[in-house]
Amino acid sequence: MNILKNPPREDWEEICTRPGLDAEFLRSSLRNLIERVRLGGDDAVREFTSQYDRVNIRELRVSEEEISEAVQILDDDLKNAIQVAADNIWKFHEKQVPPTAHVETMPGVKVWRKAVPIEKVGIYVPGGTAPLFSSVLMMAVPASIAGCHEIVLCTPPNKEGRVHPAILYAAQLTGVKNIFKIGGAQAIAAMSCGTESVPSVYKIYGPGNQYVTMAKQLVSEDGTAIDMPAGPSEVAVLSDHTAQPSYIAADLLSQAEHGSDSQVIFVTTDPSLPEKVKAEVDRQVAELPRKEMAREALKSSKIIYMDNLDNAVALINFYAAEHLIVQTENLDNVAEKITNAGSVFLGNYTPESAGDYASGTNHTLPTNANARAYSGLSTESFMKYITFQQISKEGLSILGPIVEKMAEAEELQAHKNAVSIRLTNG
Amino acid sequence: MNILKNPPREDWEEICTRPGLDAEFLRSSLRNLIERVRLGGDDAVREFTSQYDRVNIRELRVSEEEISEAVQILDDDLKNAIQVAADNIWKFHEKQVPPTAHVETMPGVKVWRKAVPIEKVGIYVPGGTAPLFSSVLMMAVPASIAGCHEIVLCTPPNKEGRVHPAILYAAQLTGVKNIFKIGGAQAIAAMSCGTESVPSVYKIYGPGNQYVTMAKQLVSEDGTAIDMPAGPSEVAVLSDHTAQPSYIAADLLSQAEHGSDSQVIFVTTDPSLPEKVKAEVDRQVAELPRKEMAREALKSSKIIYMDNLDNAVALINFYAAEHLIVQTENLDNVAEKITNAGSVFLGNYTPESAGDYASGTNHTLPTNANARAYSGLSTESFMKYITFQQISKEGLSILGPIVEKMAEAEELQAHKNAVSIRLTNG
């Protein structure tokens, strides 16, 4: 990890730039893949699965027997842990269901806004190096609370054509019934276009590699909504002298182990911590099973000393971290000043991994400085708002002339007529 | 307008497909334009303005003198109308500021979510055939309520290099100070990249033609958020026998006059209304200043008779209209069944144009069936959520083992370590 001291404001842009990822070259080949799934349906999906996952899948849908078996064979302690995590996620996300707000803006002019579930949603759970069953909870729990009518889940099969039992357990626990053994860009294409087996959905959620990310972008251009732009995972830690070097190192590594393209940064106002944390990171990384990945991620990572807390917070806000850990005095005061972050972890006993799994907050969060404008997943991500209005005859007699005046000034005569015809006839 | 009777379910997909718009061919030329603005700044913007708007602009920023002059010369009745509309929009949108929800998911595990304004936002107001000052209100009012620190507004200059005084009046009324005479894709590029004059922003809002739409899509791929995918405006009217043919015709035309690519559809359970409304549309369109545009839009528009209200509602939900006007008995009952729409106008005295201007609801709404998954603009569109969590030592002693178990099962050892090191040392 590279150590920087009091970098001037004009360097922040460069410091905060994430390692580049240009997937533009994938665009045309993935356009082709999506088109083949659109035309070929299940057969095309099977062909891509055979090609990319190296396994032949006849029945794309996971059967009820497979699900029951998963529930049976899974370790009870893990089942219990998943249950507790799901409960906590449920408790936090059920508070996010927006109430309907009614307003009478003028006498007889009633307007309101209602949140309505998105009818059909698709959840993508990556396979790859580890079975990310926690992602199932983070998407399926808010989808259930929102009341989505149809929840489709796609996840890649392993070489034996099976899905990890923890993923199936988490899915059945959260009421997901449509589970398919499909991974990668072909899963995104199938959920967007629909096939004989896979229902098409209106919005697709979930992390993935660069193929999945580009496929999501492409289907979003075709009219299927997506949760947010994806990028490699990242954490920023902000501390003063009260922080424990070993905790900070452990937190940085918990992000770095995600992948070689992950980024971690540590900003501190304590002059002695940069070297101490660096040494701790070096010590702890050596013992990790995924040390190669973590070491690669550390190469693009930074430790930054700032001699002033306000400047440190300003840099942190400019960076707009997916995960931000704050280990300082006066936590409330610092928390109040955070304006850009996905999720914030306050204090020495709040590691990021608590929120990754089980504290109740969502772990699907904006990366790559997108926290400046995007939120993480919430129950509202599985709903949309419809506004309503009802105007009485008397209401229109007051509001109508206002509308006529504005429509006329915008040179939209038919907009004016729609009011005038009612005021005249009425 | 084409009249259809009881179309079977398998035809709905085709009936509900909007007239095609393929802007893919614009991609590479607009990529180039954006790159030229990124590198060339104000000079590049001036060059594109000269080329596309046919006017040479030295000072891109609208001066305070120009704004004061606009306020002075604008007709008092129009100023009053704009003020009333702004007040109504304010009243509805201020109810949308989300409260902070605190939850203690387990003893010592506190989680909460706070809505925070997006610091820098950009508003695009198209020029073209009419000065759309109402769009200024629809974006700047919620941006002000949200508390966005910097609001940038771009709108194309006319041939004299000026901006319509109603646009400037609406901007100053809603506290927008950074106003630039820049239109089209170059405006989107300037707000995304930033130039010497134009501050870069984190999210861009507003309607526009196909160049603006594609430019917004391209900058969104580069990391600037956008409000929603845009498309031609549309209205659906749902009625039974209680509706007035002349009102329906006026409502359909108020949408059709927007542009030749607008679409209007009318679904009714009354067998006599299709012919009556068609005749009224033909009569009223003849008197419109924008009749050519409206007639062109009517060509791709449809009147559909359904012999059953439930089926009619199902078709309307499948269509997912930007604007939906409902003129039936039992309005509450029908409103309850609407699951996909941008904004709904209930009853004979609630024309769409009321919501377009002044009732208080937002007129920036999802088109092209995007109402299945997207909401219209709201105050939350100018904010993002940050989640927070704070766990006590005791809280971690309960939650920690759950996290350790799950991290281990996902084969993420460093995630587990971040908890274990605290439980051991603690």
Side-chain angles (χ1 to χ4, degrees):
Chain A
M1 292 181 85
N2 196 4
I3 298 181
L4 307 169
K5 291 188 182 172
N6 285 314
R9 185 63 182 74
E10 60 266 30
D11 291 356
W12 290 12
E13 185 80 45
E14 199 191 324
I15 289 171
C16 294
T17 299
R18 276 58 163 185
L21 189 77
D22 180 11
E24 196 62 23
F25 67 97
L26 292 175
R27 175 173 278 272
S28 67
S29 68
L30 289 180
R31 264 264 167 257
N32 185 262
L33 180 150
I34 292 168
E35 203 46 34
R36 281 176 63 192
V37 170
R38 186 189 308 279
L39 299 172
D42 284 347
D43 281 344
V45 169
R46 285 192 195 93
E47 214 171 290
F48 288 117
T49 304
S50 162
Q51 186 179 343
Y52 297 125
D53 299 304
R54 308 239 163 250
V55 56
N56 292 314
I57 302 282
R58 194 175 305 173
E59 189 53 64
L60 296 170
R61 180 187 285 272
V62 174
S63 68
E64 288 189 27
E65 293 70 43
E66 287 172 285
I67 297 168
S68 318
E69 198 194 5
V71 174
Q72 283 206 332
I73 62 172
L74 201 69
D75 168 47
D76 278 340
D77 282 353
L78 182 55
K79 275 199 261 192
N80 177 53
I82 292 175
Q83 178 74 61
V84 172
D87 288 348
N88 285 351
I89 296 165
W90 189 283
K91 283 179 208 163
F92 185 50
H93 286 75
E94 73 177 348
K95 296 280 185 205
Q96 295 166 3
V97 179
T100 299
H102 288 264
V103 182
E104 191 163 352
T105 51
M106 293 178 112
V109 181
K110 292 182 180 164
V111 295
W112 65 100
R113 191 176 75 141
K114 191 170 89 167
V116 174
I118 297 173
E119 196 186 335
K120 306 192 284 179
V121 297
I123 289 175
Y124 184 72
V125 179
T129 47
L132 299 180
F133 55 85
S134 60
S135 291
V136 178
L137 303 181
M138 294 294 174
M139 296 185 274
V141 169
S144 295
I145 293 171
C148 300
H149 185 72
E150 188 154 61
I151 306 175
V152 176
L153 189 155
C154 285
T155 191
N158 65 13
K159 295 279 176 293
E160 289 76 46
R162 302 178 72 86
V163 172
H164 193 284
I167 289 180
L168 297 182
Y169 177 76
Q172 69 81 34
L173 184 69
T174 49
V176 180
K177 290 179 185 68
N178 294 300
I179 311 171
F180 297 92
K181 299 173 186 173
I182 312 175
Q186 58 274 24
I188 306 304
M191 291 193 280
S192 172
C193 310
T195 70
E196 302 90 315
S197 303
V198 185
S200 72
V201 301
Y202 296 150
K203 188 170 180 179
I204 296 175
Y205 307 74
N209 60 20
Q210 57 180 337
Y211 301 93
V212 169
T213 300
M214 176 53 83
K216 280 172 69 186
Q217 187 186 303
L218 290 173
V219 302
S220 82
E221 293 170 17
D222 297 341
T224 305
I226 61 170
D227 50 356
M228 70 186 85
S233 201
E234 61 196 29
V235 71
V237 179
L238 170 67
S239 95
D240 60 15
H241 62 282
T242 62
Q244 286 276 3
S246 61
Y247 296 3
I248 293 174
D251 292 336
L252 294 172
L253 287 171
S254 75
Q255 201 55 44
E257 77 169 344
H258 264 301
S260 53
D261 54 2
S262 290
Q263 194 186 43
V264 303
I265 75 164
F266 170 44
V267 179
T268 184
T269 55
D270 182 284
S272 73
L273 275 174
E275 291 298 343
K276 284 184 196 161
V277 168
K278 191 168 193 284
E280 266 293 331
V281 166
D282 290 343
R283 198 182 63 73
Q284 292 185 25
V285 74
E287 288 160 34
L288 290 180
R290 296 161 72 100
K291 55 175 162 286
E292 297 313 321
M293 243 182 236
R295 278 189 177 130
E296 195 59 34
L298 291 173
K299 283 186 191 163
S300 59
S301 299
K302 297 174 191 81
I303 297 178
I304 303 164
Y305 165 71
M306 299 290 269
D307 59 15
N308 160 326
L309 185 64
D310 281 342
N311 263 342
V313 170
L315 174 61
I316 281 292
N317 279 328
F318 191 77
Y319 185 76
E322 181 192 12
H323 306 96
L324 170 62
I325 299 175
V326 180
Q327 294 176 4
T328 62
E329 293 178 318
N330 302 319
L331 284 171
D332 291 351
N333 201 356
V334 176
E336 200 51 49
K337 291 178 183 159
I338 301 303
T339 55
N340 293 324
S343 194
V344 183
F345 302 78
L346 297 169
N348 287 338
Y349 290 95
T350 315
E352 188 211 303
S353 47
D356 286 340
Y357 289 109
S359 66
T361 57
N362 208 292
H363 78 194
T364 311
L365 297 166
T367 55
N368 197 22
N370 283 315
R372 292 168 184 168
Y374 290 86
S375 315
L377 274 198
S378 68
T379 303
E380 291 102 315
S381 309
F382 295 85
M383 310 183 86
K384 79 270 181 181
Y385 287 107
I386 304 178
T387 54
F388 290 86
Q389 51 217 293
Q390 186 164 7
I391 304 176
S392 66
K393 193 173 163 184
E394 295 66 37
L396 194 65
S397 73
I398 306 171
L399 189 69
I402 305 288
V403 174
E404 290 181 304
K405 186 79 202 166
M406 293 175 76
E408 197 180 340
E410 286 197 354
E411 298 166 25
L412 293 170
Q413 186 63 37
H415 281 63
K416 183 182 175 187
N417 287 355
V419 172
S420 310
I421 200 169
R422 286 164 163 98
L423 293 180
T424 315
N425 282 21
Chain B
M1 293 181 85
N2 197 3
I3 299 181
L4 306 170
K5 292 189 181 172
N6 284 314
R9 185 65 182 72
E10 59 266 30
D11 292 355
W12 290 11
E13 186 79 47
E14 199 192 323
I15 289 170
C16 294
T17 300
R18 275 59 162 185
L21 190 77
D22 180 10
E24 197 62 24
F25 67 97
L26 292 176
R27 175 173 278 273
S28 67
S29 68
L30 289 181
R31 265 265 166 260
N32 184 263
L33 179 150
I34 293 167
E35 204 46 34
R36 282 177 62 191
V37 170
R38 186 189 310 279
L39 298 173
D42 284 346
D43 281 343
V45 168
R46 285 192 195 94
E47 214 171 288
F48 288 118
T49 304
S50 161
Q51 187 178 342
Y52 296 125
D53 299 303
R54 308 242 162 246
V55 57
N56 292 314
I57 302 282
R58 193 174 305 174
E59 188 53 64
L60 296 171
R61 180 187 283 273
V62 174
S63 68
E64 289 190 28
E65 292 70 41
E66 287 173 286
I67 296 169
S68 320
E69 197 195 4
V71 174
Q72 284 206 331
I73 62 172
L74 200 69
D75 168 47
D76 278 339
D77 283 352
L78 182 56
K79 276 198 258 191
N80 177 53
I82 292 174
Q83 178 74 63
V84 172
D87 287 349
N88 286 349
I89 296 165
W90 189 282
K91 283 180 209 164
F92 185 50
H93 286 74
E94 73 177 349
K95 297 279 184 203
Q96 295 166 2
V97 179
T100 300
H102 289 264
V103 182
E104 190 163 353
T105 52
M106 292 178 114
V109 181
K110 292 182 181 166
V111 295
W112 65 99
R113 190 176 73 142
K114 190 169 89 166
V116 174
I118 298 173
E119 196 185 335
K120 306 193 283 180
V121 296
I123 289 175
Y124 183 72
V125 179
T129 47
L132 299 181
F133 55 85
S134 60
S135 291
V136 178
L137 302 181
M138 294 295 173
M139 298 185 275
V141 169
S144 295
I145 293 171
C148 299
H149 185 72
E150 188 152 62
I151 306 174
V152 176
L153 189 155
C154 285
T155 191
N158 65 12
K159 296 278 175 296
E160 289 76 47
R162 302 178 72 86
V163 172
H164 193 283
I167 290 180
L168 298 182
Y169 178 75
Q172 69 80 35
L173 184 69
T174 48
V176 180
K177 290 181 185 66
N178 293 300
I179 311 170
F180 297 92
K181 299 174 187 173
I182 311 176
Q186 59 273 24
I188 306 304
M191 291 192 281
S192 172
C193 309
T195 70
E196 301 91 316
S197 302
V198 184
S200 72
V201 301
Y202 296 150
K203 188 169 180 179
I204 296 175
Y205 307 74
N209 60 21
Q210 56 180 336
Y211 301 94
V212 169
T213 300
M214 176 54 83
K216 281 172 69 185
Q217 187 186 304
L218 291 173
V219 301
S220 82
E221 293 169 17
D222 297 341
T224 306
I226 62 171
D227 50 356
M228 69 187 86
S233 201
E234 62 198 27
V235 71
V237 179
L238 170 67
S239 95
D240 60 14
H241 62 282
T242 62
Q244 287 277 2
S246 61
Y247 295 3
I248 294 173
D251 291 337
L252 294 172
L253 288 171
S254 75
Q255 200 55 44
E257 77 169 344
H258 264 302
S260 52
D261 54 2
S262 290
Q263 195 187 44
V264 304
I265 75 163
F266 170 44
V267 178
T268 184
T269 55
D270 182 286
S272 72
L273 275 174
E275 291 298 343
K276 285 184 195 160
V277 167
K278 191 168 194 283
E280 267 292 331
V281 166
D282 290 342
R283 197 181 63 73
Q284 291 185 25
V285 73
E287 288 161 36
L288 290 180
R290 296 161 72 101
K291 55 176 163 284
E292 297 314 321
M293 244 182 233
R295 278 189 177 130
E296 196 60 34
L298 291 174
K299 283 185 191 163
S300 59
S301 299
K302 297 174 190 81
I303 297 178
I304 303 164
Y305 164 72
M306 300 290 268
D307 59 13
N308 159 326
L309 185 64
D310 281 342
N311 263 341
V313 170
L315 174 61
I316 281 292
N317 278 328
F318 191 78
Y319 185 76
E322 181 191 13
H323 306 97
L324 170 62
I325 299 175
V326 181
Q327 295 176 4
T328 62
E329 293 178 318
N330 302 318
L331 284 171
D332 291 351
N333 201 355
V334 176
E336 200 50 50
K337 292 178 181 157
I338 300 303
T339 55
N340 293 324
S343 194
V344 183
F345 303 78
L346 298 168
N348 287 338
Y349 290 94
T350 316
E352 189 212 303
S353 46
D356 286 339
Y357 289 110
S359 66
T361 58
N362 209 292
H363 79 193
T364 311
L365 297 165
T367 56
N368 198 23
N370 283 315
R372 292 168 183 167
Y374 290 86
S375 315
L377 275 198
S378 67
T379 303
E380 291 103 315
S381 310
F382 295 85
M383 310 184 84
K384 78 271 180 180
Y385 287 107
I386 304 178
T387 54
F388 290 85
Q389 51 218 291
Q390 185 164 9
I391 304 177
S392 67
K393 194 172 164 185
E394 294 67 36
L396 194 65
S397 73
I398 306 170
L399 188 70
I402 306 287
V403 174
E404 289 181 305
K405 186 79 202 166
M406 293 175 76
E408 196 180 343
E410 286 196 355
E411 298 165 24
L412 293 171
Q413 186 63 36
H415 281 64
K416 183 182 175 186
N417 286 355
V419 172
S420 311
I421 199 168
R422 286 164 162 98
L423 293 180
T424 315
N425 281 23

